[in-house]
Amino acid sequence: MNEMIVRRAEERDVKAMAYLDTLCFAAPWSETSFRQEVTANNLALYLVSEIDGALTGYAGVWAIVDEGHITNVAVHPDCRRQGIARALMQVLIRSCEEAGILRQTLEVRPSNEAALRLYKSFGFREAGRRKGYYEDNGEDALIMWRDGENPETGGQ
Ligand SMILES: CC(C)(COP(=O)(O)OP(=O)(O)OC[C@H]1O[C@@H](n2cnc3c(N)ncnc32)[C@H](O)[C@@H]1OP(=O)(O)O)[C@@H](O)C(=O)NCCC(=O)NCCS
């Protein structure tokens, strides 16, 4: 059976992360941005998932004082619905909580049903909207927050 590994992202992952982004987002981040995030941003934690040595997904968070700002979660289109995003989120949130960061926030498109369901299953709740946030189509962003007192760390 193919085993999934979740581990901290390293510089050697940057190219594959940037490629994955082109498959997942309308406005993907560049390799340079990922390199900066992974190697130079002291506030950032990035995780990657691997199956048989191939990168299948990543997730990132910025620790801003006592808040975790989740930057992105992405899973390769061929590898979805296998629990990879759930595994990445579990480790990401656990890492935040272990560092005393009990509240996490993120932005998501209201049309992104898959991501919304994922986040809600971890206890994220809608807390506001940023009008016209996404430049590609002018879609609003939902702002979601999760409070570490919520007992849903493990999802489901
Ligand atoms: C959103 C995304 C990260 C989910 O990744 P994934 O590995 O397929 O998700 P998982 O298999 O771990 O699913 C976890 C939960 O998310 C929800 N979910 C995932 N895909 C879904 C879909 N297509 N439709 C509805 N719910 C979905 C479900 O609640 C699921 O739990 P379940 O399988 O027990 O029903 C993936 O679809 C993706 O990369 N999308 C493009 C990038 C993106 O939009 N990222 C979020 C930016 S805010």
Side-chain angles (χ1 to χ4, degrees), residues 8 35-46 61-62:
R8 194 170 184 139
R35 181 163 293 104
Q36 162 76 19
E37 288 291 283
V38 169
T39 66
N41 183 350
N42 294 328
L43 300 179
L45 168 66
Y46 279 82
V61 65
W62 291 341

Side-chain angles (χ1 to χ4, degrees), residues 90-147:
Q90 274 172 343
V91 180
L92 202 67
I93 288 174
R94 197 183 318 131
S95 302
C96 284
E97 292 184 340
E98 283 170 3
I101 297 167
L102 300 184
R103 298 178 74 229
Q104 297 92 34
T105 184
L106 52 82
E107 279 113 15
V108 59
R109 293 177 196 252
S111 64
N112 194 342
E113 187 62 33
L116 274 170
R117 283 216 198 174
L118 171 72
Y119 299 145
K120 283 180 181 165
S121 78
F122 279 90
F124 281 89
R125 298 287 172 254
E126 195 178 325
R129 240 171 216 262
R130 292 192 212 288
K131 282 270 165 214
Y133 180 80
Y134 293 102
E135 287 177 5
D136 61 311
N137 66 354
E139 192 172 353
D140 292 351
L142 295 182
I143 303 167
M144 301 186 88
W145 278 93
R146 175 186 178 277
D147 195 323

Side-chain angles (χ1 to χ4, degrees), residues 77-95:
D78 294 343
C79 304
R80 291 182 186 162
R81 298 312 300 258
Q82 297 172 31
I84 293 174
R86 185 176 296 290
L88 286 163
M89 288 290 291
Q90 274 172 343
V91 180
L92 202 67
I93 288 174
R94 197 183 318 131
S95 302

